[in-house]
Amino acid sequence: MAPGIVLPDCVTRCYECAVEQSTPMCDPRVRDTWVVIAAYNEGEVIRSVIAEVVGAGWKVVVVDDGSADGTAAAARMHGAHVLRHAINLGQGAALQTGIDYVLRRGAKYVVTFDADGQHRVDDIAALLDGLVHADIALGSRFLGSIEGASASRRALLRTATTVSNGLSGLKLTDAHCGLRAFRASAAPRIRIQQDRMAHASELLRKIKTSGLRVVEVPVTIRYTEYSTRKGQRGFAAVRILFDYFFRTS
Amino acid sequence: MMIRLLLLSGLAATGWLVFLRRNRLPVHILTIFALLAAGGTMVVFPDITARAAVAVGVGRGADLVTYLVEIGTLFVLLHYYTKFVELERRMTEMVREIAILRAEVERAAPTAPPKPAIPAPIERDADRS
């Protein structure tokens, strides 16, 4: 390459062999996609999650929802864009903050991804494949696989799916999987207003009422001791239902 | 008689507080004073509530007052809950905007143009030494 010629952003040149190599950013789909991760006191695992997602070439924004640990610093250190809520608002609010940010940065596709290490990076591409003929792709662990979940957790998830389907009118196999992808054009119609965990049910209702095309994509969810400890308990369902019905503005 | 004195004192104290914090429209103040006056009248002349209860088909005056208080309490609860949810929504929007702005400022900081150099102070008495 002649000196003075600037390489495109997606091309790097090996300093030892001078061979030019394209990076994942050469793929327009990778270039136009942002992964949004809401995190609250996830300093213990956020490093490995961000390293994995950024290492695969995806652009990541982490919304630190008022954490008291080193979540923000760890995420920034591993190459993520970091937004910080001054106070803890909840996962729904954090996701919407991240979505607003990436839309302002020109994202065409948005992926939501959990911070606790439950999701596999490989599933991001599968979700984006699902967007070829849909506006929203929802991950489904019941179409894919679940690793490490107890029988009681599976039963709880099945029950939650039945309730959510009843509330939203959609017929899904998995209603509360945090791994989702959607086109930027769909974002205004599914704007999250539920700050806390009821956002998942709110999202499904909005998908149904807005008439967006939705597809379910098989994904793998890995339950670890950490993610199980951090996850929702059964009694949280009561609060989610209260928020869903009464905390609307 | 003791209870009447207590109730009237409570109503008078409420009226005094409303008067001290009169930062609302006159219609609001007048409505509150009308309610307080109605309450005072019911305390001094309890027969009025009994007659009003019979007139509207409720057995006792105390029952009528209880029902009115229940409706009033529910109204106030709903009013303030709606306000609370709205305030929470506004707070979320504010925290969100601050988070995004801060990130954009931090991102822009390394490439921001350098600040103009501060001119050296003019030494007015340079030749003094």
Side-chain angles (χ1 to χ4, degrees), chain B residues 56-113:
Chain B
V56 295
V58 179
R60 299 183 308 165
D63 292 340
L64 177 66
V65 172
T66 306
Y67 297 151
L68 290 176
V69 168
E70 281 175 5
I71 292 169
T73 306
L74 281 176
F75 173 78
V76 170
L77 275 177
L78 188 66
H79 175 73
Y80 282 101
Y81 183 72
T82 310
K83 279 203 163 196
F84 171 76
V85 172
E86 174 61 18
L87 278 173
E88 210 174 40
R89 192 187 61 77
R90 289 186 189 187
M91 187 177 69
T92 299
E93 289 296 330
M94 198 167 69
V95 171
R96 177 170 294 144
E97 278 304 315
I98 290 171
I100 293 174
L101 281 174
R102 189 159 61 177
E104 285 175 351
V105 167
E106 284 172 358
R107 197 174 59 85
T111 55

Side-chain angles (χ1 to χ4, degrees), chain A residues 196 198 234-245 247, chain B residues 88:
Chain A
R196 291 188 278 267
F235 59 77
V238 178
R239 185 172 182 182
I240 290 171
L241 282 173
F242 178 86
D243 283 354
Y244 182 83
F245 285 111
R247 217 177 190 87
Chain B
E88 210 174 40

Side-chain angles (χ1 to χ4, degrees), chain A residues 29 52 63 72 83 90 96-97 142 169 178 180 203 210 212 218 231 248:
Chain A
R29 201 172 57 166
E52 203 179 346
V63 183
L83 310 181
Q96 189 57 53
T97 299
F142 292 112
R180 320 173 185 91
L203 201 62
S210 60
L212 293 167
T248 52

Side-chain angles (χ1 to χ4, degrees), chain A residues 7 24 38 83 87 223:
Chain A
L7 290 169
L83 310 181
I87 53 173
Y223 284 95

